[in-house]
Amino acid sequence: MTIPFFDGHNDTLLRLAEAPGDQEGLFIKGNGTGHIDLPRAKAAGMAGGFFAMFPPPLKSNLAAVANSPGLSPELPPELAVADALASTNGMASVLFRLERAGALAVCRTAAEIRAAMAEAQLAAIFHIEGAEAIDTDFRSLDVLYAAGLRSIGITWSRANAFGTGVPFRHNMDPDIGPGLSEAGKELVRVCNQLGVMIDLSHLNAAGFRDVAAVSTHPLVATHSNVHAICPHARNLVDWQLAAIRDTGGMVGLNFATGFLRPDGKFTVDTEIELMVRHVDALVEALGEDGVALGSDFDGAQMPAPIGDVTGVPKLLQALLDKGYGQELVGKIALGNWLRMVETVIG
Ligand SMILES: [Zn+2]
C-alpha cells in the first residue's frame, strides 16, 4: 500500500513556467519530463507539498544554475524587485490555473490540506524561495499573502534586501557574510504575525542566528541536509540542528545528490542508503518530530534509484527496511509537515 507523503520543496512551477506551450497540460497529463506531474504524483502517493516560486532573472536558464554548483565560490547576482515580481506572477499564475483546472488545491491552513487529501486533491502550499519579490515596505507581501502565500525562504543562494544566502560550494561552512538587515528582521516579525512560515534553507549562518533570535515560531529548513555527512554550505552544521531542535523545529531531507554525498559530487550514481544515513542523523539530532521530506524535485539532480516523484516510496520502504516503524515513517512522510503547518501557519 502506498504511504501518503507531503514534500517540503519542489521547483515544478518554475519548470512549467519556463516550458513552451501548454504549461497546465504538461502538469495535468505529464509527458515524462521533469520530476513531478499529476499522474506521477498520484501514483507515488504524493498528498501535496510546498510549491516554490523561485524568481530567476527572466531569461535565465535554470539548468545553468543547477549545473554550476559545487564549484562556485561566488553568489549569483542580485535580482531587482520588479523582475522578481514579474517572474513570481508567472509562476503563481501557473499555480492558480492548475487549481482552476482541478489539478490541485492551494491550501492556506492544515485543515485545508486535510480537506484536499480527503478529496484526493493534491495540496499545494504557496512558497517563495528568496524574498526578492517583496519590497521593504511589504506592499507586495500584502498582495502575495492575500493570494495565498504562506511560506518564505528569506534568501535563495544570493543576497537581497533582507539577508544573504550561502554559495553553492562544497567543503564550506555556511558561516559566510552578514546577517539579516533591519528589513529582514522586520520581515520575520511580520511573517510571525501573519502566520507565514520562515524557511531557513539557503540562508547563511549569521542570518540563521538572526531568525532564531527574532522569530517566535519553530525554526524550519524545508530542504537541507546534514553538514557533518556532506560538508556543503547548503547543509546544516551541528549548532544549527541544535537550535532547530530547541524550538521544536524541523528539517526536510533534500534529495539533491550534491547535498547528500560526502564528496559533494553531483552524480546520479548515488544510493538511497546515503539518504537513509542523513535521515538517521537528522532523527538523532532533531528527534522523531523534527524530520520530514524536502525533495527539491524539478530543481536539482536526483539519485538514479529515486529518479522522480515515483521513487519516493523506495525511500520510505528503505526506512521501513532499516527498522523505522510504520508510525515514524508516517511522521517523516506526512505527519510532521502537517503538524508544523498547523503550528506555524494555522
Ligand atoms: Zn532551494
Side-chain angles (χ1 to χ4, degrees), residues 9 129 156 202 223 234 296:
H9 189 91
E129 179 168 40
W156 182 66
H202 290 275
H223 60 307
R234 272 282 283 104
D296 227 341

Side-chain angles (χ1 to χ4, degrees), residues 130-195:
E132 281 83 354
I134 296 176
D135 54 274
T136 51
D137 290 329
F138 306 129
R139 301 289 183 186
S140 54
L141 176 60
D142 290 333
V143 177
L144 291 167
Y145 179 80
L149 174 72
R150 289 296 180 274
S151 176
I152 295 178
I154 297 177
T155 67
W156 182 66
S157 287
R158 63 184 160 216
N160 60 31
F162 305 103
T164 300
V166 290
F168 282 102
R169 194 171 194 194
H170 189 63
N171 283 325
M172 180 185 257
D173 190 279
D175 196 358
I176 174 171
L180 299 188
S181 65
E182 284 311 310
K185 292 174 188 171
E186 189 57 20
L187 178 64
V188 174
R189 289 185 201 104
V190 170
C191 286
N192 280 178
Q193 284 161 10
L194 287 171

Side-chain angles (χ1 to χ4, degrees), residues 298-314:
D298 283 322
Q301 182 194 63
M302 294 293 126
I306 295 291
D308 62 16
V309 67
T310 61
V312 173
K314 290 188 216 166

Side-chain angles (χ1 to χ4, degrees), residues 42-196:
K42 297 253 170 173
M46 182 174 178
F50 289 76
F51 280 65
M53 297 178 204
F54 161 62
L58 290 176
K59 299 275 180 206
S60 90
N61 175 353
L62 185 65
V65 174
N67 292 331
S68 67
L71 300 172
S72 172
E74 306 292 338
L75 293 173
E78 293 185 33
L79 190 58
V81 172
D83 287 343
L85 255 182
S87 169
T88 301
N89 278 346
M91 289 178 276
S93 162
V94 174
L95 180 70
F96 289 113
R97 286 181 186 187
L98 286 171
E99 184 176 51
R100 278 208 299 278
L104 50 75
V106 180
C107 296
R108 293 161 178 83
T109 62
E112 289 185 10
I113 294 173
R114 291 199 180 89
M117 287 176 64
E119 294 177 5
Q121 278 262 332
L122 194 62
I125 300 244
F126 183 153
H127 169 85
I128 60 173
E129 179 168 40
E132 281 83 354
I134 296 176
D135 54 274
T136 51
D137 290 329
F138 306 129
R139 301 289 183 186
S140 54
L141 176 60
D142 290 333
V143 177
L144 291 167
Y145 179 80
L149 174 72
R150 289 296 180 274
S151 176
I152 295 178
I154 297 177
T155 67
W156 182 66
S157 287
R158 63 184 160 216
N160 60 31
F162 305 103
T164 300
V166 290
F168 282 102
R169 194 171 194 194
H170 189 63
N171 283 325
M172 180 185 257
D173 190 279
D175 196 358
I176 174 171
L180 299 188
S181 65
E182 284 311 310
K185 292 174 188 171
E186 189 57 20
L187 178 64
V188 174
R189 289 185 201 104
V190 170
C191 286
N192 280 178
Q193 284 161 10
L194 287 171
V196 171

